[in-house]
Amino acid sequence: MAEGHVPCGIEIPQVFIDGPVDAEHIKKFVVRAEELDYDSLWTQERNLSNFCMLEPVTLMTYVAAVTSRLRIGTSVLLTVLRNPLQLAKSLASLDQLSGGRIIAGIGLGGVRGRMWPESETVYGYSSEHRVTRFVEGIKVMQALWQEDQASFEGRFWNFTDAAMEPKPLQRPFPLWFGGHAEPALRRAVRFGQGFMGAGSSATQRFVKEYERITRFLDEAGRDPATFAVSKRVYLAVDNDRDRAERRLREFFAVRYRNADMAPQVCIWGGRQEVIDKLNVVVRAGARHLLLNPAFDEMEHLELLAQDVVPHLG
């Protein structure tokens, strides 16, 4: 990627709404992404759904095996649905196997109704004290990654002189946080190496999040240059704007159960319109973009790299 351009990652084909999982398609996509000089490859997490969506850590492992250079990230893992000791081991192992290319985006997740598929109760966890459990899980993982003999005492986890090898190849292991509320943004600055604005939120919301992140970094005495700020953007490049919007709405109706969310948060239109709108996100503070085509992934992979990314920044 040419000097001065905003680094851009791209979403790995992970959702297969219209058919079975196509591993060969994934392989061709990520190998070509590396040839096109994208910055990174990304996944999301949703384990329970009536459409095909691959589990992110497993998918990252597959992608790490068929690529050699691009960073590979999650945006985001819902860590309150996972055991932090097991997750710490999985991520450390994957970081070693990938040659130190993993970014773990993590988040608390929104509060949902009891029957929402990704709610804690479906997984056998209590929804009480979820923030405490989230923060403890972060501290548990970081202790295991950083200390030869880790000890921890909390509400949910307690252990003494626990050893975990191998450690991640990267020190510190990069955690990028999602979230919207002020406490979530403060946690990103306190525990993380970066923040990623959600794809399910509009640019205007990201502007406010960036302003808060900047203030919290200043209060913490942290150098903003060492803290990543990214934004996931669902997008479609199509001169037929009505067709693009219709297809985005169809995707959001399945992926988020809300077709009306698509026109609120997505960017679509002809090449120049997409460039202009992405540059608004860059001017709002994004120093990294995660480009997320909702359909026609291979076509967008080529088009974005050749006609859009060189004009960002």
Side-chain angles (χ1 to χ4, degrees), residues 151-168:
S151 298
F152 187 83
E153 182 176 347
R155 177 190 288 268
F156 295 97
W157 290 280
N158 290 274
F159 51 84
T160 302
D161 295 335
M164 191 200 78
E165 297 293 342
K167 307 295 186 195

Side-chain angles (χ1 to χ4, degrees), residues 16 21 61 64 97 100 129 157 160 183 191 217 243 252:
F16 296 85
V21 172
T61 304
L97 292 171
H129 309 294
W157 290 280
T160 302
F191 295 108
L217 287 168
R243 177 176 59 194
F252 270 70

Side-chain angles (χ1 to χ4, degrees), residues 16-288:
F16 296 85
I17 290 176
D18 297 324
V21 172
D22 187 342
E24 189 61 28
H25 172 61
I26 296 170
K27 181 178 179 179
K28 289 180 179 178
F29 183 94
V30 299
V31 169
R32 182 57 178 155
E34 199 157 61
E35 294 170 349
L36 291 170
D37 205 24
Y38 280 91
D39 163 84
S40 47
L41 298 159
W42 292 84
T43 65
Q44 301 182 57
E45 175 154 69
R46 180 172 173 184
N47 292 323
L48 301 177
S49 65
N50 58 2
F51 58 89
C52 292
M53 183 168 180
L54 295 170
E55 191 279 325
V57 178
T58 308
L59 178 56
M60 292 165 69
T61 304
Y62 174 77
V63 170
V66 298
T67 60
S68 61
R69 182 179 54 79
L70 295 190
R71 306 205 74 186
I72 308 168
T74 59
S75 171
V76 294
L77 290 173
L78 304 177
T79 56
V80 291
L81 306 181
R82 295 172 176 264
N83 182 293
L85 287 87
Q86 294 171 322
L87 182 58
K89 182 72 170 183
S90 294
L91 292 175
S93 299
L94 181 51
D95 199 51
Q96 286 283 344
L97 292 171
S98 69
R101 293 189 284 140
I102 303 304
I103 300 170
I106 64 173
L108 181 59
V111 178
R112 310 282 188 171
R114 287 189 62 195
M115 297 309 295
W116 178 257
E118 301 298 337
S119 68
E120 287 92 336
T121 54
V122 175
Y123 284 76
Y125 297 117
S126 171
S127 60
E128 296 181 356
H129 309 294
R130 64 197 304 267
V131 174
T132 300
R133 187 153 50 85
F134 177 65
V135 172
E136 281 194 13
I138 296 167
K139 292 179 178 178
V140 165
M141 291 192 293
Q142 290 182 328
L144 292 169
W145 289 332
Q146 295 167 5
E147 302 171 20
D148 293 335
Q149 300 287 330
S151 298
F152 187 83
E153 182 176 347
R155 177 190 288 268
F156 295 97
W157 290 280
N158 290 274
F159 51 84
T160 302
D161 295 335
M164 191 200 78
E165 297 293 342
K167 307 295 186 195
L169 198 58
Q170 300 176 86
R171 300 288 187 94
F173 181 74
L175 294 178
W176 290 15
F177 282 66
H180 303 291
E182 181 171 316
L185 302 180
R186 287 190 180 276
R187 285 192 293 270
V189 170
R190 180 182 176 188
F191 295 108
Q193 287 72 47
F195 167 77
M196 179 171 282
S200 56
S201 65
T203 300
Q204 294 87 341
R205 190 169 191 177
F206 175 74
V207 171
K208 296 178 181 178
E209 293 165 350
Y210 176 75
E211 291 172 350
R212 287 181 172 180
I213 285 285
T214 301
R215 174 160 54 90
F216 299 154
L217 287 168
D218 183 63
E219 291 174 358
R222 295 193 60 177
D223 181 359
T226 65
F227 189 88
V229 178
S230 181
K231 175 74 169 75
R232 174 188 290 273
V233 181
Y234 286 104
L235 79 173
V237 182
D238 190 339
N239 290 325
D240 187 333
R241 298 189 81 258
D242 291 340
R243 177 176 59 194
E245 180 179 356
R246 183 181 70 252
R247 297 187 71 184
L248 287 167
R249 291 177 68 91
E250 290 170 353
F251 176 83
F252 270 70
V254 176
R255 174 65 182 87
Y256 289 101
R257 302 181 180 179
N258 186 350
D260 292 336
M261 183 190 296
Q264 298 172 22
V265 304
C266 296
I267 288 175
W268 73 96
R271 181 183 68 88
Q272 191 58 52
E273 182 177 359
V274 169
I275 291 170
D276 291 343
K277 290 181 177 178
L278 286 173
N279 274 323
V280 171
V281 182
V282 173
R283 289 193 295 272
R287 297 192 291 273
H288 177 275

Side-chain angles (χ1 to χ4, degrees), residues 288-305:
H288 177 275
L289 293 174
L290 196 183
L291 306 178
N292 195 153
F295 52 83
D296 295 344
E297 297 110 332
M298 287 300 299
E299 292 85 347
H300 273 99
L301 179 74
E302 299 283 346
L303 188 154
L304 291 169

